[in-house]
DNA sequence: TTTCTTACA
DNA sequence: TGTAAGAA
């Protein structure tokens, strides 16, 4: 079974494999603190308040964080830097988190992505709804960005 | 060396 | 929240 990856009882392949592997990542509190600029003291405090979560098992008493938690910490930190208090920053981060989750679901609308100009990073994104009654293409080229709509 | 908890400034 | 202390 080449190109596949077993995680638990589930087998992943292709994009799912990549996502599976990324979700397997476990980051220590020192590293997450270093990259986010949030102190270990804060991270432990936030966890105590229930704002973030870590994987603390019975065997190893050290905290490990999933990649999703790194994003969460970064977002909280971002809103904190913008002047929000901790509670409000967490609230904003949770909202952003949900928006990003929804955004990922919208990937299903993308039928294909074409890079038309490597140099300038121009391209076309073809959107296809499940009823296949409409086809919308988002275009990015030298004239700007626009949509092409086609009814079927 | 790093992390953990607790306690004090 | 930062920092120190003592243990793991």
């Amino acid at each position: 079974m080449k190109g596949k990856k077993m995680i638990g009882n589930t087998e992943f392949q292709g994009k799912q494999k990549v996502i599976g592997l990324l979700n397997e990542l476990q980051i220590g509190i020192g590293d997450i603190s270093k990259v986010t600029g949030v102190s270990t003291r804060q991270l432990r405090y936030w966890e105590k308040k229930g704002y973030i979560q870590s994987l603390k098992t019975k065997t190893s008493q050290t905290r490990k964080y999933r990649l999703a938690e790194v994003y969460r910490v970064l977002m909280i930190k971002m809103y904190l830097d913008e002047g929000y208090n901790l509670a409000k920053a967490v609230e904003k981060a949770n909202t952003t988190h949900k928006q990003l989750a929804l955004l990922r679901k919208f990937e299903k609308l993308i039928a294909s992505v074409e890079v038309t100009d490597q140099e300038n990073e121009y391209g076309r994104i073809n959107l296809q709804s499940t009823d296949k009654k409409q086809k919308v293409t988002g275009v990015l080229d030298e004239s700007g960005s626009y949509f092409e709509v086609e009814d079927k």
Side-chain angles (χ1 to χ4, degrees):
Chain A
M1 61 168 175
K2 46 191 177 294
K4 295 181 182 176
K5 168 72 181 179
M6 289 288 292
I7 296 174
N9 294 317
T10 316
E11 191 177 74
F12 295 94
Q13 193 171 22
K15 191 165 86 174
Q16 287 305 311
K17 174 187 168 183
V18 174
I19 293 170
L21 286 170
L22 286 176
N23 288 336
E24 265 195 317
L25 266 183
Q26 292 188 8
I27 301 100
I29 195 170
D31 287 327
I32 194 175
S33 174
K34 200 177 298 176
V35 298
T36 62
V38 175
S39 69
T40 56
R41 170 80 159 89
Q42 283 176 299
L43 291 170
R44 295 187 185 105
Y45 177 68
W46 292 2
E47 180 177 336
K48 187 181 175 187
K49 297 281 281 184
Y51 294 150
I52 60 174
Q53 221 176 358
S54 74
L55 292 43
K56 200 158 65 164
T57 58
K58 319 82 200 155
T59 45
S60 72
Q61 59 277 70
T62 60
R63 276 165 257 255
K64 294 296 179 188
Y65 298 87
R66 295 162 308 170
L67 187 59
E69 225 54 25
V70 179
Y71 288 126
R72 187 182 296 282
V73 171
L74 279 172
M75 285 191 282
I76 295 174
K77 164 73 169 163
M78 184 183 75
Y79 290 120
L80 235 34
D81 289 344
E82 284 180 18
Y84 295 97
N85 61 37
L86 182 56
K88 194 68 182 175
V90 170
E91 193 182 311
K92 299 274 283 183
N94 286 338
T95 298
T96 303
H97 215 258
K98 284 173 186 168
Q99 289 173 326
L100 290 177
L102 185 59
L103 188 60
R104 280 195 294 278
K105 285 190 179 178
F106 268 97
E107 276 190 9
K108 288 173 184 164
L109 287 173
I110 301 176
S112 68
V113 178
E114 293 175 55
V115 177
T116 54
D117 185 331
Q118 299 259 3
E119 185 73 23
N120 297 301
E121 294 186 343
Y122 291 147
R124 303 166 57 84
I125 293 182
N126 304 305
L127 306 177
Q128 181 74 72
S129 57
T130 49
D131 60 19
K132 297 181 189 294
K133 286 175 182 170
Q134 272 189 316
K135 184 179 176 185
V136 178
T137 302
V139 185
L140 197 63
D141 61 23
E142 61 285 341
S143 63
S145 56
Y146 54 94
F147 292 108
E148 287 176 0
V149 182
E150 186 183 330
D151 286 307
K152 293 191 172 181

